[in-house]
Amino acid sequence: MTNTQQAPAAGRGPAGPASRGERLANWADGRVGLFSLAKANLRKIFPDHWSFMLGEVALYSFLIIILTGVFLTFFFKPGMDEVVYHGRYTPLNGILMSQAYKSTLDISFDVRGGLLIRQLHHWAALVFIMAMLVHMMRVFFTGAFRKPRELNWLFGAGLLILGMFDGFMGYSLPDDLLSGTGIRFMEGAILSVPIVGTYLVFFLFGGEYPGSIWIPRLFTVHVLLIPGIMVALLALHLLLVFYHKHTQGYGPGRSNRNVVGMPLMPVYMAKAGGFFFLVGGILAIFSAIAQINPIWAYGPYRPDQVTTDAQPDWYMGYSEGLIRVMPGWEINFLGHTLVLGVFIPLLVFPAILLALWLYPFFEAWLTGDKGEHHIAERPRNNPMRTAFGAAWVAEYLLLLVGGGNDLFATRFHLSINAITWTVRVGFFVLPVLVFVATKRICMGLQRRDRDKILHGRETGVITRAPHGEYFEIHEPLVQADLYSLTAHDQPRPAELPPATDEHGTRRPTTWTERVRTRLAAAWFGPGGQVPKPTPDEYRHAVEAHHGPGAGHHAHTEQPVGEARH
């Protein structure tokens, strides 16, 4: 027999037998490749910027919503059966109310920590939607939605709209007078749908409003259906963020082919853990000191009553504004009454969101760009996109004012009719004014950047020429600043193909090609952006300031403008 040296047993090293944790890790690695998976991904490099925290705020708020929501489901009773309240809140003793409202009162006054958890749940929902909206605007203004991130942009849009509707359903569950007013608002909007509106209301409410099954159905959708879809979208969203990584800003050494940043482990994991507790702590402070949705002050819902100063949560405020400022038009069409004063706002509500969400595909259609983009743009370098986004934000904020026209009137002692008419006129005028002003500002900033590139930075030092002229000395930009100001891409306007082909045959053009060409000329032509300086312009400017030899020297050290122009 030959003596062979046996390999050490699995889990046993030179230092002795492995611990139970090591054996468990070895067992997992042998079945799912744990070690190789971690080694390949935990050291993945990610770019870093403070604005990425906006998405993290949304993520951590969503986690807090899930955790607090699980706690609340243990005590909330989604029933509409009427009971008489006998609890700690004395002013409502002996009042007839639904089981949903009574259980919410019990959570607030009888469950230890219940009111704090309720408030934390509600505050987290408000911050979640706010953070998502601001995060999406950051992505929009920096062009981070471009290929290959279009799908992730749609996932984010889906998360936002689902969060808005789930939040609306959440604050409707307690069945208090304020939330009941919101449900009545929704019922009226559905009734305005021509022909099928009545059938939809009967389906949703199980009969005549308010029915007896609305709260249980709402509870199921709020805690199971929509959160389940949101968790799936969030998982896909994070997976694509991990795969594509964040867009990085312009700077020396950064391009579409590399990533400059820090590794996921341990840098980002440590920062993410600390930031989660920071977000949770701030939300807890809000919940402890800032009262929100005191349902005991409104009382139980009754269809024949309505609360004064009734306002939805802020993210639904613009839909309220559409209803309030729309004239109460009604027409009779084929024997059906069309309530245009409600139905038109119902159509405009999604149209405003779609205008923003579909813009990336409109821009890609105009440019015909098929390349990948991993560098974030400065908003000034795409004036038309920035102007469009600013106009959208202005429209959104204006409608928020319209949704609270009664509060603005009473708090600032203004005429509610004057506010309503101002919002009506502003709905059409304000976006145009903001668009034009923002575009001019962006183009002015582009001209200033162009002047910096060609003439350098102002030093504030005034000198006198031999012939008596006074002028300010300009300091040439360093190479890093020149790169940052010239490395961005500028789309060229699409042009129609020649009217005839090489054989002299007339080439037909479709109306979509003509429309695309005209829009592209307006978006990216001389009226839509300021061209970057060419290498020749830069060389001539340097020669004018520093002599004939300096231009060639600067040109050889500044290849970026020529390579990317």
Side-chain angles (χ1 to χ4, degrees):
M1 296 179 60
T2 58
N3 293 328
T4 58
Q5 184 177 1
Q6 293 184 352
R12 185 182 301 271
S19 65
R20 181 177 301 176
E22 289 176 326
R23 291 197 300 270
L24 179 62
N26 288 330
W27 182 89
D29 181 58
R31 288 152 181 81
V32 298
L34 183 64
F35 292 162
S36 58
L37 184 66
K39 183 178 180 180
N41 295 289
L42 291 183
R43 298 294 294 176
K44 193 177 182 73
I45 300 298
F46 281 85
D48 194 12
H49 194 266
W50 67 266
S51 63
F52 298 159
M53 291 191 299
L54 298 171
E56 294 184 41
V57 171
L59 173 62
Y60 302 147
S61 300
F62 183 72
L63 293 177
I64 293 172
I65 291 172
I66 297 298
L67 294 174
T68 54
V70 170
F71 176 88
L72 294 174
T73 56
F74 292 148
F75 304 98
F76 181 73
K77 298 178 181 178
M80 298 188 69
D81 296 335
E82 292 187 328
V83 295
V84 178
Y85 179 72
H86 297 286
R88 291 193 179 185
Y89 190 69
T90 307
L92 289 178
N93 274 335
I95 300 296
L96 199 64
M97 60 185 64
S98 65
Q99 283 185 341
Y101 186 73
K102 178 182 180 300
S103 65
T104 309
L105 290 177
D106 292 339
I107 292 173
S108 303
F109 296 107
D110 296 321
V111 176
R112 179 164 301 188
L115 180 58
L116 178 64
I117 298 299
R118 269 196 63 230
Q119 301 235 136
L120 184 58
H121 189 72
H122 203 141
W123 269 113
L126 295 180
V127 173
F128 170 61
I129 299 174
M130 172 65 78
M132 278 201 298
L133 182 61
V134 178
H135 172 62
M136 287 192 69
M137 297 312 299
R138 195 275 303 176
V139 172
F140 181 85
F141 284 118
T142 60
F145 52 71
R146 294 173 295 173
K147 185 181 177 180
R149 295 176 177 84
E150 306 98 328
L151 191 59
N152 223 11
W153 168 263
L154 293 180
F155 286 158
L159 283 168
L160 178 59
I161 192 65
L162 288 175
M164 292 172 61
F165 279 103
D166 206 37
F168 171 77
M169 294 178 183
Y171 72 69
S172 300
L173 281 175
D175 199 31
D176 59 287
L177 191 56
L178 179 62
S179 66
T181 302
I183 296 298
R184 188 71 169 187
F185 174 91
M186 186 195 72
E187 184 243 0
I190 297 174
L191 280 175
S192 70
V193 179
I195 301 176
V196 298
T198 305
Y199 300 97
L200 291 175
V201 168
F202 268 67
F203 172 75
L204 291 175
F205 292 94
E208 290 284 354
Y209 176 86
S212 59
I213 62 173
W214 169 243
I215 295 296
R217 285 184 174 181
L218 200 67
F219 180 76
T220 302
V221 175
H222 175 70
V223 304
L224 289 178
L225 180 60
I226 293 183
I229 299 174
M230 292 182 69
V231 167
L233 286 177
L234 181 62
L236 293 172
H237 185 76
L238 294 177
L239 183 64
L240 287 180
V241 168
F242 186 83
Y243 178 71
H244 294 139
K245 297 175 286 296
H246 293 291
T247 53
Q248 56 184 349
Y250 276 114
R254 300 178 182 181
S255 68
N256 283 317
R257 297 179 297 275
N258 69 350
V259 179
V260 178
M262 302 297 291
L264 177 64
M265 186 72 181
V267 177
Y268 278 102
M269 295 297 288
K271 292 171 63 176
F275 195 51
F276 169 76
F277 289 107
L278 180 63
V279 171
I282 293 176
L283 287 176
I285 293 174
F286 286 172
S287 306
I289 66 176
Q291 177 65 60
I292 188 171
N293 197 24
I295 62 164
W296 52 87
Y298 309 134
Y301 176 65
R302 287 183 52 180
D304 60 334
Q305 295 182 356
V306 65
T307 53
T308 57
D309 289 346
Q311 300 287 325
D313 280 343
W314 71 267
Y315 47 86
M316 284 295 185
Y318 90 97
S319 62
E320 179 96 1
L322 286 169
I323 292 288
R324 292 193 182 193
V325 304
M326 180 69 191
W329 296 342
E330 288 187 7
I331 62 173
N332 189 281
F333 180 73
L334 299 179
H336 297 277
T337 300
L338 301 183
V339 187
L340 300 182
V342 179
F343 183 60
I344 291 179
L346 187 63
L347 297 179
V348 176
F349 170 77
I352 292 177
L353 296 176
L354 289 174
L356 183 73
W357 294 343
L358 297 181
Y359 177 86
F361 303 96
F362 168 74
E363 185 175 292
W365 175 66
L366 283 186
T367 61
D369 186 9
K370 305 298 182 181
E372 292 191 359
H373 299 275
H374 301 287
I375 301 293
E377 283 190 314
R378 300 173 78 193
R380 69 181 65 179
N381 289 332
N382 198 315
M384 300 296 281
R385 179 206 297 153
T386 303
F388 181 87
W392 188 91
V393 173
E395 187 79 282
Y396 193 94
L397 295 178
L398 179 70
L399 291 174
L400 285 182
V401 174
N405 56 359
D406 54 340
L407 295 182
F408 280 93
T410 55
R411 299 300 189 273
F412 297 101
H413 307 288
L414 301 172
S415 167
I416 191 171
N417 290 327
I419 295 175
T420 301
W421 273 104
T422 300
V423 176
R424 286 176 178 174
V425 175
F427 180 85
F428 301 99
V429 175
L430 182 64
V432 177
L433 296 179
V434 172
F435 184 94
V436 173
T438 305
K439 175 189 170 185
R440 291 179 64 88
I441 291 172
C442 290
M443 296 188 70
L445 292 173
Q446 282 189 323
R447 292 189 184 96
R448 190 184 70 173
D449 290 344
R450 177 184 173 89
D451 186 68
K452 277 185 179 181
I453 295 169
L454 295 178
H455 305 294
R457 182 182 292 105
E458 298 176 353
T459 62
V461 178
I462 306 298
T463 186
R464 183 180 182 182
H467 59 275
E469 179 187 3
Y470 289 91
F471 62 92
E472 183 178 11
I473 296 178
H474 285 225
E475 177 185 355
L477 298 182
V478 298
Q479 292 296 314
D481 292 339
L482 287 173
Y483 182 92
S484 298
L485 293 178
T486 59
H488 61 278
D489 295 315
Q490 284 193 315
R492 299 181 183 274
E495 298 180 356
L496 287 175
T500 57
D501 58 18
E502 61 275 11
H503 304 293
T505 305
R506 183 176 178 277
R507 189 194 307 270
T509 57
T510 63
W511 68 270
T512 56
E513 290 177 329
R514 293 192 293 271
V515 170
R516 176 190 174 191
T517 302
R518 293 180 180 178
L519 287 175
W523 234 251
F524 305 112
Q529 60 184 357
V530 177
K532 294 188 300 183
T534 64
D536 289 338
E537 289 175 330
Y538 176 73
R539 182 172 58 253
H540 293 158
V542 173
E543 288 176 352
H545 285 83
H546 304 286
H552 176 73
H553 177 70
H555 175 65
T556 57
E557 292 187 354
Q558 175 64 19
V560 176
E562 185 174 12
R564 298 181 61 87
H565 184 75

